[in-house]
Amino acid sequence: MALEALSPDHLYSNCDLSLFEFETTADLADVAGLVGQDRALDAIQFGISMEKAGYNMFVLGAPGAGKRTAVTRFLQASISTKPVPDDWAYVNNFATPNKPTALKTGAGRAEVLRSGVSALIEDLQGSIPAILESEEYKKRLMAIDAHYAQHQGQAFETLRITAEAKNVTVLSTPSGFAFAPQREGEVIKPEEFNELPEEERERIKETISELERELAEIFRHVPSWEKERRQQVGDLNREVAKNAVGRSIHDLAAMFEGNDGVAAWLALLEADLVENISLFTLDEREQMMTPSGPMPASALVEDVFRRYSVNVIIENGPNVDPKPTNGNATSDFIGGGAPIVIEEHPTFTNLIGRIEHLSQLGALLTDFSLIKGGALHRANGGYLLIDAMRLLREPLAWEGLKRALRTARIVLETPGDYLSLVSTVSLEPDPIPLDVKVILFGDRELYYMLAQADPEFLDLFKVAADFDDQIDRDAESDIFYAEMIATICRRDELLHLTPAAVGRVIEESARFAEDAEKLSLLIGPLSDLIREADLYARGDGADAVDAPHIQRAIDGRLHRSDRLRERSLEAITRDIVMIDTEGAVVGQINGLSVLSLGQASFGRPTRITARVRMGGGNLIDIEREVDLGGPLHSKGVLIMTGFLSAHFAVDTPLSLSATLVFEQSYGGVDGDSASAAELVALVSALAEAPLHQGYAITGSINQLGQIQPIGGVNEKIEGFFDICARRGLTGDQGVLIPHANVKHLMLRHDVVDAVERGVFSVYPIETIEDAVTLMTGIPAGMRDEFGDFPPHSLFARVEQRLTAFAETQRAFNNSSGEKAGGS
Amino acid sequence: MTADLKSTALSQDTPHKIVIEAEAFAVEPQALAFATRMAAPIGARLVGCFVENQALMDLSDLPFASEVSASGTVRPLERERLIREWQGQAKQAENALATAAVSAGLDWGFEVRRGKPLFSMLDVVEREDVIVLNAVGRLTAASEVTKAVRTATHDIRADVLLTGRALQKSGMAWVEPNTTLVVLDDLTSRGEACCHAAEALALKAGMNCIPLRPQNLDLQEVADLVRRLSPNLVIADSASKLFAKDDDVTKFSKAAGCPLLLLGSERELTGSQGLPDQTS
């Protein structure tokens, strides 16, 4: 039975506008949820509810599927029931300053601690100097100094009196003291001394030596007396400071009753304040120097008391105004519950936090007050949303995030420290416990690549929320689409659409989905189309967007990206690229392919030729021979070989040498959608039956000769149609497509119109027999009960040709063998 | 500032001098500042005096002479080294004095004498001069200090400022606005003149002048009272009954814990002592 072409009804599926009972989409409410994403939404719900470690989420799907919107909406609904997370702050570790202490303070309490400590220090800056200037303190200090001065003076005075009693006086020298013999209050002159008896002289010398030893002993005690004096002054200062500081600390500690961490640190703060009370005196600060001289007064106070500041890293609570740490990140605190943080620039430091440095006189200095939190800090206790591709592009970010999730801690270190490139002393802040659910967004390829290449990935991201790209096209989905369009128009403040416009959008969505029975769920491109139509409608002064505006938007988009297609068409119509659309040629056929570059995607014909001769059973794919053929293409050729060898002259060795080539193709070929065309060309070459050049064919073939569906069927048909139309339709032109692709047809109106007028045809084929019969006009033939093809059938001619090759081959081999044996 | 105003000779026609013992401002830099502030408004000449102890020189000639350093090390006392060190100390003191004097636009001089400390310095002091001495923390017997003070105030009739390591307010000048000046009034005419002089100084310096009229209080009690007031300076008449005993002056100076300006006896104490104005 002759194969019948498709009727126009099969080529395009119109939207049933009778479903829409509205004037414009303004009459419709916003879409309630996401239709067709039940699986993904169930996964999101599960992932949010599962609070165990490792149940982070990867939301996968094509861009524009509304993944982030859906997730955010889910989170908004759930976070208000979650507790507000604790605040965290870094404070000075007085014992080990390079290991700052992390303090948990309770939600909204970090600022209370910070301001409380700041007020305490400010208060002490007034009260401690006043105490140190008080009469009581000065009296006690003077008493200590007087005691030691007296003690020291007493020792000297005792020695002096002892010396006087022995007629020796003490004299002050430029660098110490000396003992001189005296008589009647006057030092003995040398000549007088020499006149003294020897015994007397010796006695004086001995006395003076003894006094010198005593004086030296006194001097050796002076440092220990001074040390005692300093200790007593220190004790006095500590006592005074404890009284002053203790009261204020106690009041502050009472505000954090029950918080052991804060209480412990406040105790250390008190001890440090007591030990360093001298910082509160102007004299002590005035002595502070930098390498280039005295520290400027303005910097003194701030710098000196920085050790007591509180660096709030994470701040939560109902009154917190979210502040992004960089220009790209945003965070939302909705309903006062757990935070939702969207990190748009997920670098290592933006995620983990960083330790800043100050440059002072050529040196880089840092301390706990220069620690800055990252997205993980802000999202702690809540949710962190990240684009997976952006994350993977940033050096160390992925590893840093995994480590944080794996250890459930945020360890602050610089990238240099992380890579062990830096050996200078730096900060090692206390890690902060991490309780966050990370939600990554990405396409499917990325998800499967990570699952395959990273052994940790599936352990840490156990939940995959797979967003579908399409839904079934039916009445319910048409209405959902209309509601979705209404939502977009309202959200983006666009003109609403008429039912006809909605219908056109739905049809274009099916075209975008490459399936007449499906609608695309990629909201991004849909929104773009409506926005562009809005521009045209407003330009026309219309109140609503109508179908022609949608069509203009579609045409405009095509036109803007059409340069490549035009050049391709021009190359063919000018015979630069040789494509026949009339006549018949043996072993030459029009295959079809789709070229996608940027926003341009169009079909175009390619000449495929086949040549055969007797040979050793080789089917040479020239594209593969020169490494222009990809693996899928090669697979198709091998399948074709399998069909041939199984279908024809099965009892005869395949004595065929054939070559197949995509003529004028220099850029590489992959995919098996042209394998049917190649087989038809080969059959034509074997049977020496010309192929109708007014037809083009697309389809993949299996070893049984069945035609399998392919992609891009609409573009391929339109690509060949455009060539035929440019040259003038003859009425005897068309495209052969796999029958399974009929449901995917959403052809342009001009193509449908041409079919309606009977000047172009689209044929659905199911087997290679359908294809060769249509393209040669000769029935393919089926084997009878004797296993023979009908005489003069196409396949009979093929088999005869192959048998002839085999016999010729055998004869040639015999002849060669006789010649060799005879010589 | 004018160029070097140093003069090595003192003439009888020289106006008031402030003679400051080199050891005094080596121990207490405020002493030089005070002397400068006193000299400026009255155009007095600032004279420093470094005394090389003759007794030490004599001792150095003895074969066994040695000195004990502050670290407890004993080493021979060598004459040449002694002279070199004296010269170095004297030069340092002279430079410090010159700097202070030139900054204040004062005429200045520096004397190096050899003889008995304190007493050799009195050779350059005249009536109504002011002598600045270090009374605290020196090895000189208190009686020697008292004797020198008495010679200066009673014989020469000069004023004496006794300094030492002050126990309070290090870093603050003695003559400072809004600080306290205490004057001891023994209810005699000289005591009254002393009060007038003190009030004049306080007025010029913006200080608070508190007269104390201690009746039936002994020296220690008065010193305690003064200490409680925590003044920057105490002014008293050198012939006051309070200092009946020889070493009372030095005892009081130590006990009061602040510098003591003793006004020389038999001077006509006018309302304007010519003491430094705080604003000059």
Side-chain angles (χ1 to χ4, degrees):
Chain A
M1 195 161 65
L3 195 63
E4 289 205 9
L6 292 172
S7 68
D9 293 341
H10 289 104
L11 304 182
Y12 190 88
S13 176
N14 286 295
C15 181
D16 181 6
L17 298 183
S18 68
L19 291 172
F20 303 137
E21 296 174 347
F22 54 83
E23 290 278 331
T24 70
T25 51
D27 300 334
L28 300 173
D30 282 354
V31 65
L34 280 180
V35 173
Q37 301 290 9
D38 292 344
R39 179 181 297 103
L41 295 179
D42 286 345
I44 293 170
Q45 181 64 60
F46 170 75
I48 290 171
S49 305
M50 194 65 177
E51 294 186 356
K52 302 295 182 193
Y55 284 87
N56 298 291
M57 262 194 280
F58 194 108
V59 181
L60 56 153
K67 301 189 292 291
R68 186 178 290 189
T69 306
V71 168
T72 307
R73 201 176 293 163
F74 247 93
L75 292 178
Q76 284 174 353
S78 70
I79 59 165
S80 59
T81 61
K82 286 187 173 290
V84 180
D86 291 315
D87 288 0
W88 282 85
Y90 274 108
V91 293
N92 192 18
N93 181 337
F94 298 109
T96 320
N98 73 311
K99 298 189 179 184
T101 302
L103 287 183
K104 183 170 72 170
T105 66
R109 302 283 288 163
E111 179 57 29
V112 173
L113 179 64
R114 190 201 66 74
S115 57
V117 171
S118 176
L120 166 77
I121 299 300
E122 200 174 317
D123 181 49
L124 291 176
Q125 286 181 55
S127 63
I128 289 182
I131 291 172
L132 297 180
E133 289 297 319
S134 69
E135 191 58 42
E136 173 68 25
Y137 176 81
K138 281 193 295 193
K139 195 189 289 185
R140 292 179 66 181
L141 191 64
M142 282 196 306
I144 294 171
D145 284 342
H147 170 74
Y148 283 97
Q150 188 188 12
H151 191 59
Q152 195 170 320
Q154 189 62 45
F156 280 113
E157 185 63 14
T158 303
L159 183 66
R160 192 190 64 75
I161 292 170
T162 303
E164 291 283 335
K166 295 177 181 177
N167 290 319
V168 173
T169 187
V170 182
L171 301 175
S172 187
T173 72
S175 48
F177 300 92
F179 291 97
Q182 66 175 358
R183 182 186 290 164
E184 293 171 358
E186 296 293 329
V187 172
I188 296 177
K189 295 204 182 307
E191 52 275 15
E192 288 177 40
F193 181 81
N194 290 332
E195 287 172 3
L196 291 173
E198 173 71 20
E199 194 181 309
E200 180 61 13
R201 291 204 301 272
E202 289 302 318
R203 185 197 64 78
I204 290 172
K205 277 192 234 178
E206 186 56 37
T207 301
I208 287 177
S209 290
E210 192 181 324
L211 288 168
E212 285 170 349
R213 282 193 292 275
E214 284 184 39
L215 181 59
E217 189 61 25
I218 290 173
F219 280 138
R220 277 193 278 277
H221 278 99
V222 164
S224 63
W225 292 337
E226 177 58 24
K227 185 178 171 184
E228 278 176 33
R229 188 196 72 80
R230 282 200 307 270
Q231 273 175 347
Q232 289 215 351
V233 172
D235 290 342
L236 171 63
N237 287 343
R238 270 186 288 279
E239 178 191 325
V240 161
K242 218 168 167 49
N243 287 336
V245 170
R247 251 191 326 273
S248 302
I249 290 275
H250 179 265
D251 293 342
L252 187 57
M255 296 168 72
F256 289 89
E257 196 176 330
N259 188 324
D260 294 342
V262 171
W265 183 74
L266 287 175
L268 293 172
L269 171 67
E270 180 180 357
D272 193 83
L273 282 167
V274 166
E275 269 312 304
N276 292 288
I277 189 175
S278 56
L279 290 177
F280 291 87
T281 62
L282 192 61
D283 296 338
E284 184 72 24
R285 293 204 295 269
E286 281 179 344
Q287 290 170 31
M288 287 185 155
M289 303 286 283
T290 68
S292 66
M295 186 178 288
S298 59
L300 267 175
V301 171
E302 183 186 331
D303 200 75
V304 159
F305 296 113
R306 195 209 294 274
R307 61 192 284 114
Y308 302 123
S309 61
V310 174
N311 182 8
V312 178
I313 294 294
I314 307 171
E315 208 172 349
N316 292 306
N319 297 321
V320 170
D321 183 21
K323 290 181 177 56
T325 58
N326 57 62
N328 296 318
T330 58
S331 66
D332 293 316
F333 296 82
I334 302 171
I340 303 171
V341 174
I342 302 169
E343 180 55 64
E344 298 287 3
H345 189 199
T347 63
F348 179 86
T349 50
N350 282 350
L351 286 173
I352 307 295
R354 62 186 184 277
I355 300 170
E356 294 182 337
H357 292 76
L358 282 178
S359 175
Q360 257 189 17
L361 304 169
L364 289 178
L365 307 176
T366 188
D367 62 22
F368 71 96
S369 66
L370 296 176
I371 297 173
K372 296 288 185 283
L376 281 172
H377 292 92
R378 295 198 311 280
N380 203 359
Y383 306 91
L384 177 59
L385 281 57
I386 307 174
D387 181 278
M389 183 58 77
R390 284 187 201 153
L391 176 67
L392 292 171
R393 282 199 186 115
E394 295 294 339
L396 304 178
W398 176 233
E399 290 302 320
L401 177 65
K402 282 194 299 176
R403 179 175 149 185
L405 292 175
R406 198 172 56 241
T407 60
R409 303 188 315 169
I410 310 173
V411 177
L412 255 169
E413 56 188 349
T414 65
D417 292 334
Y418 189 89
L419 294 172
S420 301
L421 293 177
V422 177
S423 58
T424 54
V425 174
S426 184
L427 290 186
E428 296 174 29
D430 279 349
I432 289 180
L434 179 65
D435 174 23
V436 72
K437 191 169 290 292
V438 175
I439 302 172
L440 298 180
F441 296 88
D443 57 38
R444 289 194 185 81
E445 288 76 15
L446 186 59
Y447 176 82
Y448 293 122
M449 183 206 74
L450 282 170
Q452 173 139 8
D454 189 340
E456 290 184 298
F457 172 67
L458 291 177
D459 275 341
L460 294 173
F461 290 85
K462 297 184 194 298
V463 181
D466 196 345
F467 272 68
D468 212 338
D469 301 339
Q470 307 169 339
I471 51 170
D472 291 338
R473 185 179 170 186
D474 53 29
E476 185 187 347
S477 62
D478 283 354
I479 292 171
F480 158 73
Y481 233 74
E483 290 172 347
M484 197 162 61
I485 290 169
T487 307
I488 292 170
C489 291
R490 220 166 268 127
R491 181 194 70 195
D492 294 352
E493 296 177 350
L494 305 171
L495 292 175
H496 281 276
L497 273 62
T498 63
V502 171
R504 188 66 190 92
V505 169
I506 287 173
E507 290 157 9
E508 186 63 16
S509 174
R511 166 74 187 228
F512 192 70
E514 295 189 22
D515 195 328
E517 297 172 0
K518 300 281 187 184
L519 293 179
S520 169
L521 286 178
L522 302 183
I523 310 301
L526 169 71
S527 302
D528 290 342
L529 178 63
I530 299 173
R531 274 191 283 271
E532 290 161 23
D534 174 83
L535 176 69
Y536 294 121
R538 288 179 192 272
D540 289 350
D543 294 332
V545 174
D546 208 352
H549 302 126
I550 299 294
Q551 189 59 50
R552 276 170 70 185
I554 294 168
D555 293 342
R557 189 181 285 180
L558 275 171
H559 178 65
R560 290 191 295 274
S561 61
D562 214 28
R563 190 188 68 88
L564 278 173
R565 188 182 74 93
E566 277 297 326
R567 293 291 85 77
S568 175
L569 284 174
E570 186 183 297
I572 294 172
T573 54
R574 293 178 66 200
D575 295 328
I576 297 169
V577 174
M578 297 160 70
I579 299 288
D580 289 337
T581 52
E582 291 181 75
V585 180
V586 171
Q588 175 181 300
I589 194 167
N590 292 318
L592 293 169
S593 60
V594 175
L595 187 65
S596 293
L597 285 170
Q599 289 194 333
S601 180
F602 57 91
R604 64 175 183 177
T606 304
R607 177 179 288 180
I608 300 172
T609 56
R611 289 292 174 263
V612 296
R613 64 180 295 276
M614 181 192 73
N618 299 321
L619 184 59
I620 299 171
D621 172 17
I622 290 179
E623 307 305 318
R624 188 177 66 177
E625 290 300 309
V626 296
D627 292 331
L628 286 179
L632 295 177
H633 173 76
S634 301
K635 179 183 175 183
V637 172
L638 292 170
I639 289 172
M640 197 167 51
T641 310
F643 170 81
L644 268 182
S645 56
H647 211 72
F648 302 108
V650 296
D651 299 326
T652 311
L654 195 61
S655 303
L656 162 75
S657 180
T659 52
L660 289 163
V661 69
F662 281 63
E663 301 291 356
Q664 288 184 292
S665 168
Y666 310 111
V669 175
D670 203 3
D672 64 346
S673 65
S675 56
E678 289 171 304
L679 181 57
V680 170
L682 193 60
V683 166
S684 163
L686 284 168
E688 294 181 300
L691 295 172
H692 184 25
Q693 298 300 294
Y695 290 142
I697 179 173
T698 183
S700 158
I701 193 157
N702 64 20
Q703 287 193 119
L704 303 178
Q706 295 166 326
I707 305 296
Q708 299 168 143
I710 44 78
V713 65
N714 294 299
E715 286 82 358
K716 285 172 179 173
I717 295 171
E718 289 160 359
F720 190 66
F721 172 83
D722 287 337
I723 294 295
C724 297
R726 286 278 172 106
R727 288 176 173 167
L729 295 166
T730 64
D732 192 22
Q733 291 156 326
V735 177
L736 282 61
I737 66 169
H739 191 275
N741 279 126
V742 171
K743 65 176 77 64
H744 299 141
L745 292 174
M746 285 293 288
L747 292 168
R748 290 196 324 248
H749 288 306
D750 55 344
V751 178
V752 176
D753 182 61
V755 169
E756 228 171 60
R757 288 186 287 115
V759 294
F760 195 79
S761 305
V762 178
Y763 293 94
I765 53 173
E766 292 183 272
T767 63
I768 194 64
E769 287 84 355
D770 292 341
V772 298
T773 302
L774 196 58
M775 295 201 74
T776 61
I778 303 169
M782 287 181 64
R783 292 189 186 278
D784 60 21
E785 65 271 21
F786 301 107
D788 296 324
F789 287 111
H792 309 297
S793 67
L794 197 66
F795 284 171
R797 287 161 65 168
V798 170
E799 195 159 67
Q800 284 165 12
R801 189 83 183 276
L802 288 172
T803 304
F805 281 152
E807 286 171 0
T808 306
Q809 179 79 37
R810 192 169 43 249
F812 180 79
N813 290 341
N814 291 340
S815 164
S816 298
E818 284 170 3
K819 279 185 183 172
S823 56
Chain B
M1 291 295 170
T2 57
D4 182 11
L5 299 176
K6 178 179 178 180
S7 168
T8 55
L10 296 171
S11 75
Q12 291 295 323
D13 296 329
T14 304
H16 293 299
K17 294 193 301 296
I18 312 288
V19 181
I20 178 165
E21 182 191 15
E23 184 182 314
F25 61 86
V27 170
E28 182 55 77
Q30 282 303 316
L32 183 54
F34 183 80
T36 308
R37 293 177 76 81
M38 279 189 75
I42 59 174
R45 196 160 182 269
L46 203 61
V47 176
C49 186
F50 183 86
V51 178
E52 296 173 347
N53 193 341
Q54 181 61 52
L56 207 51
M57 188 64 73
D58 292 339
L59 176 63
S60 70
D61 286 335
L62 293 175
F64 60 86
S66 50
E67 65 178 328
V68 182
S69 69
S71 62
T73 310
V74 179
R75 61 178 178 177
L77 181 64
E78 295 164 0
R79 188 187 182 91
E80 289 73 28
R81 180 168 53 80
L82 182 62
I83 292 170
R84 276 200 311 274
E85 286 174 345
W86 272 339
Q87 285 171 347
Q89 282 186 333
K91 193 64 189 168
Q92 260 187 319
E94 184 181 359
N95 289 341
L97 185 92
T99 302
V102 169
S103 296
L106 295 170
D107 190 14
W108 65 281
F110 197 84
E111 296 281 336
V112 178
R113 298 279 165 127
R114 187 172 291 182
K116 198 168 183 183
L118 289 178
F119 293 95
S120 293
M121 193 178 77
L122 295 178
D123 292 344
V124 304
V125 176
E126 295 170 302
R127 186 189 174 111
E128 295 187 3
D129 283 348
V130 177
I131 311 167
V132 182
L133 297 177
N134 176 23
V136 179
R138 63 191 308 159
L139 283 180
T140 310
S143 56
E144 290 289 297
V145 175
T146 304
K147 201 171 164 185
V149 169
R150 197 165 282 284
T151 304
T153 55
H154 286 72
D155 299 343
I156 304 174
R157 294 165 200 163
D159 301 332
V160 174
L161 176 69
L162 291 175
T163 71
R165 182 69 63 95
L167 293 179
Q168 82 285 6
K169 298 192 182 68
S170 66
M172 287 178 62
W174 296 330
V175 179
E176 188 82 4
N178 300 318
T179 55
T180 303
L181 180 158
V182 168
V183 57
L184 300 181
D185 182 1
D186 61 0
L187 300 177
T188 63
S189 57
R190 284 194 286 278
E192 188 181 346
C194 190
C195 281
H196 287 160
E199 283 163 3
L201 169 62
L203 188 66
K204 287 187 181 178
M207 298 172 77
N208 302 317
C209 181
I210 300 178
L212 268 189
R213 297 183 176 89
Q215 291 183 353
N216 303 321
L217 293 179
D218 63 24
L219 189 77
Q220 186 59 48
E221 288 168 334
V222 175
D224 288 344
L225 190 58
V226 167
R227 194 185 270 267
R228 275 203 293 276
L229 291 171
S230 190
N232 279 35
L233 182 66
V234 173
I235 296 179
D237 177 24
S238 63
S240 170
K241 291 180 293 190
L242 199 60
F243 308 124
K245 297 184 191 154
D246 277 345
D247 55 354
D248 280 346
V249 165
T250 47
K251 271 188 190 170
F252 182 81
S253 168
K254 287 183 194 176
C258 67
L260 171 64
L261 176 63
L262 289 166
L263 301 183
S265 63
E266 296 184 27
R267 281 178 61 180
E268 287 298 322
L269 299 170
T270 63
S272 173
Q273 181 63 16
L275 291 167
D277 187 331
Q278 185 63 22
T279 59
S280 62

